[in-house]
Amino acid sequence: MSDKMLTFAQRLKEENRTTHDSVDNLVMSVNPFATPENYVKFLKLQSVFHKIVDPVYRDEALNRAIPDLAQMARYEAVVQDLADLNDTPYVFDGELPQPQGNRAIGWLYCAEGSNLGAAFLFKDVQKLAFDEHHGASHLAPHPDGRGKHWRAFVERLNLLSLSEEAQVEAVEGAKDAFAFYKVVLRRIFGLPEGAEAEAKPLVDYGI
Ligand code: HEM
């Protein structure tokens, strides 16, 4: 399918597929659910990422276009999960990105989409006895269900009717978001640059 036939959301997915899989591999390589200590590190990583996107979720114009967007923000839930484990958000040494404009829409896509894969993470974390009530509230599914909620969100993204130029910026924003996630992960888990394994064969998300 040529790029011209893809919806905006399909384009975000296609153009970030390989990057996504490399992030997935990198996360799994650090065994975030093997011990409570590793899980705390994962929560700290999530705290940096969700802090960056929190203002995007609360953006007034985006909230007019995407109903209930502000309620989808998960930074406070991550902070609560950390508090449940007697810990606090990670303080990133350096300037945090402040996504703006169309690039911010790409960051938003990255953050909201991460709740789809969270289905697997949510299962794994329950082996450590954390759940939506204690320690893992930010990984819990949306009340409408992950799939249904995601399809509604994707529809809203497409209804933004972004121009070609704006879509390119948004895709760049999503790439920035995935790239920064890796930077923070390496820092928190103490990995060298380029530590992830080769990306796995492409996953068909089947949504
Ligand atoms: C071990 C970690 C991860 C695993 C196992 C994982 C797995 C998955 C899976 C299986 C899906 C598709 C879900 C479905 O078809 O219902 C998905 C979607 C997605 N994930 Fe992840 N993921 C991980 C980490 C992340 C992270 C850290 C981010 C963002 C920083 C992220 C962003 C996304 C996005 C944006 C989508 C939506 C793709 C689309 O349909 O456009 N994922 N993930």
Side-chain angles (χ1 to χ4, degrees):
M1 201 189 289
S2 89
D3 264 8
K4 288 202 178 69
M5 293 168 69
L6 296 181
T7 63
F8 172 46
Q10 284 169 338
R11 190 168 173 181
L12 280 163
K13 177 176 179 171
E14 288 313 314
E15 297 199 23
N16 285 289
R17 192 184 282 267
T18 314
T19 311
H20 171 274
D21 290 352
S22 72
V23 173
D24 167 348
N25 271 357
L26 187 61
V27 172
M28 293 321 286
S29 76
V30 294
N31 297 315
F33 308 107
T35 61
E37 291 73 25
N38 283 8
Y39 180 56
V40 165
K41 286 187 186 167
F42 173 74
L43 284 176
K44 287 187 179 264
L45 163 62
Q46 294 286 78
S47 73
V48 177
F49 184 66
H50 282 283
K51 184 174 186 175
I52 296 168
V53 289
D54 201 57
V56 184
Y57 276 99
R58 298 178 195 287
D59 179 87
E60 273 183 32
L62 281 176
N63 272 275
R64 279 194 292 275
I66 307 176
D68 299 328
L69 182 64
Q71 280 90 319
M72 299 174 206
R74 288 191 298 282
Y75 178 61
E76 284 169 12
V78 179
V79 175
Q80 181 58 54
D81 291 342
L82 275 162
D84 290 348
L85 278 85
N86 299 317
D87 221 312
T88 51
Y90 186 74
V91 179
F92 186 77
D93 183 14
E95 216 173 299
L96 287 182
Q98 296 182 348
Q100 305 291 332
N102 296 313
R103 293 180 96 91
I105 297 171
W107 278 81
L108 181 65
Y109 158 80
C110 185
E112 201 47 32
S114 72
N115 216 29
L116 275 177
F120 298 90
L121 313 189
F122 195 50
K123 260 188 213 151
D124 283 346
V125 79
Q126 288 173 40
K127 293 178 200 149
L128 289 174
F130 299 123
D131 59 19
E132 66 271 40
H133 307 295
H134 184 77
S137 63
H138 87 284
L139 294 174
H142 188 276
D144 293 344
R146 292 184 207 271
K148 189 172 175 207
H149 170 66
W150 177 245
R151 285 188 294 277
F153 180 78
V154 154
E155 204 174 304
R156 289 290 173 179
L157 284 183
N158 290 332
L159 284 171
L160 294 173
S161 304
L162 296 190
S163 67
E164 166 64 22
E165 199 188 353
Q167 290 193 24
V168 170
E169 286 172 11
V171 169
E172 285 304 313
K175 290 187 178 178
D176 292 345
F178 281 116
F180 194 72
Y181 195 91
K182 287 190 189 182
V183 168
V184 183
L185 186 150
R186 288 197 185 97
R187 198 169 296 179
I188 292 179
F189 284 89
L191 298 185
E193 185 63 25
E196 72 268 31
E198 291 294 302
K200 287 183 297 198
L202 300 185
V203 179
D204 182 358
Y205 297 139
I207 297 166

